[in-house]
Structures are given as C-alpha cells and as structure tokens.
C-alpha cells in the first residue's frame, strides 16, 4: 500500500503532536506508598512520654512538613495485649517533618503506634504502624 505525500504528512503531524504532548505532560503524582513514618527514637520511658515520628518521602529521603495526621492509636498489640490502649494527643513540633505525640505508657513492653495522615497534593491516606519499646 503506497501512501500519498499528504497521508505521510498527516501521520507525521499526528506522531509529532503525540510525542510533544507527552514531553510536556505533568509529572506523575506520588503514591501514598512512597511515604512512610519512622520513629525518631525506638525507646521511651514508662509514664508520660512524648513520641516523635518523622514522615519521609521515600523517593527523595526528605521529610514531609505539611501532612495532616488525623488518626492515631497506641496499644500493646505487639505483646498480645491489643486491648491495652492509651490516649494519644498530638503536640506541636518545632522541627520540619517531625510529628510529636504525648501519651502515658502505663507499663514496660512493646507499644504499637498506628498513624494515618493526608499529604498535601496526594490522593489517598498514608498509614503506618510503628513499634516502640517502653522501659523503666
């Protein structure tokens, strides 16, 4: 099948348009799986404690400063006592990307901190479960 010069020109224009459009396409958004919470310290003292966590963009390794943490729970599930839960209150932080929570750790053992957050500009919820050790 022989193509006319006109048909070749139309195909070239269409192909060129498709290629140039993809060159200017906005970058793909991150996935909520590209973020993770990390404990700043793995251990806390029994009693009143402030637990600090960092929210990190795993693609760049940089802290995420503008997330909204809207769900938090602290329990002893790692030591088979999930019903042993305590109140968690978010407190201000002066460090970018660090989120602080006040809680009363009533006994020694492993405590699980469950967090959920929204990251500005991302669709979905970042969820993570962190385990810290409470010691005397």
């Amino acid at each position: 099948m022989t193509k006319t010069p006109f048909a070749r020109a139309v195909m070239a224009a269409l192909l060129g348009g498709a290629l140039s459009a993809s060159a200017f396409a906005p970058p793909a958004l991150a996935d909520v799986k590209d973020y993770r919470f990390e404990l700043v310290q793995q251990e806390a003292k029994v009693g009143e404690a402030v637990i600090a966590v960092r929210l990190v963009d795993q693609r760049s390794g940089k802290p995420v400063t503008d997330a909204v943490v809207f769900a938090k729970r602290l329990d002893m599930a790692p030591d088979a006592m999930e019903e042993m839960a305590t109140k968690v209150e978010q407190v201000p932080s002066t460090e970018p990307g660090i989120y602080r929570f006040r809680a009363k750790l009533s006994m020694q053992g492993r405590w699980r901190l469950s967090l959920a957050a929204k990251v500005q500009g991302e669709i979905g919820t970042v969820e993570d479960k962190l385990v810290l050790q409470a010691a005397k």
Side-chain angles (χ1 to χ4, degrees), residues 6-35:
F6 177 75
R8 279 191 287 240
V10 168
M11 288 180 65
L14 290 173
L15 182 59
L19 291 174
S20 65
S22 65
F24 296 105
L29 292 177
D31 189 273
V32 291
K33 294 179 182 102
D34 291 330
Y35 301 93

Side-chain angles (χ1 to χ4, degrees), residues 1-131:
M1 177 175 187
T2 306
K3 294 183 183 172
T4 66
F6 177 75
R8 279 191 287 240
V10 168
M11 288 180 65
L14 290 173
L15 182 59
L19 291 174
S20 65
S22 65
F24 296 105
L29 292 177
D31 189 273
V32 291
K33 294 179 182 102
D34 291 330
Y35 301 93
R36 74 169 184 275
F37 281 102
E38 302 172 340
L39 288 168
V40 172
Q41 295 183 331
Q42 304 294 317
E43 195 170 291
K45 296 273 187 198
V46 170
E48 291 293 326
V50 175
I51 303 162
V53 299
R54 179 180 298 110
L55 181 57
V56 178
D57 182 334
Q58 296 182 90
R59 297 164 302 161
S60 66
K62 294 183 180 179
V64 177
T65 59
D66 55 357
V68 177
V69 179
F70 64 89
K72 48 213 168 280
R73 176 179 164 84
L74 187 61
D75 60 45
M76 291 195 76
D79 285 346
M81 293 186 280
E82 190 168 356
E83 68 283 350
M84 176 73 90
T86 189
K87 182 180 171 187
V88 181
E89 174 189 2
Q90 189 166 355
V91 294
S93 177
T94 57
E95 299 172 71
I98 302 291
Y99 301 84
R100 296 186 184 282
F101 305 93
R102 180 178 300 136
K104 183 174 183 181
L105 304 175
S106 57
M107 63 186 293
Q108 292 183 58
R110 294 177 297 161
W111 289 80
R112 177 182 67 185
L113 178 62
S114 302
L115 298 169
K118 292 286 188 184
V119 174
Q120 299 293 337
E122 301 297 347
I123 297 172
T125 301
V126 176
E127 296 181 75
D128 224 331
K129 296 179 188 312
L130 309 169
V131 177

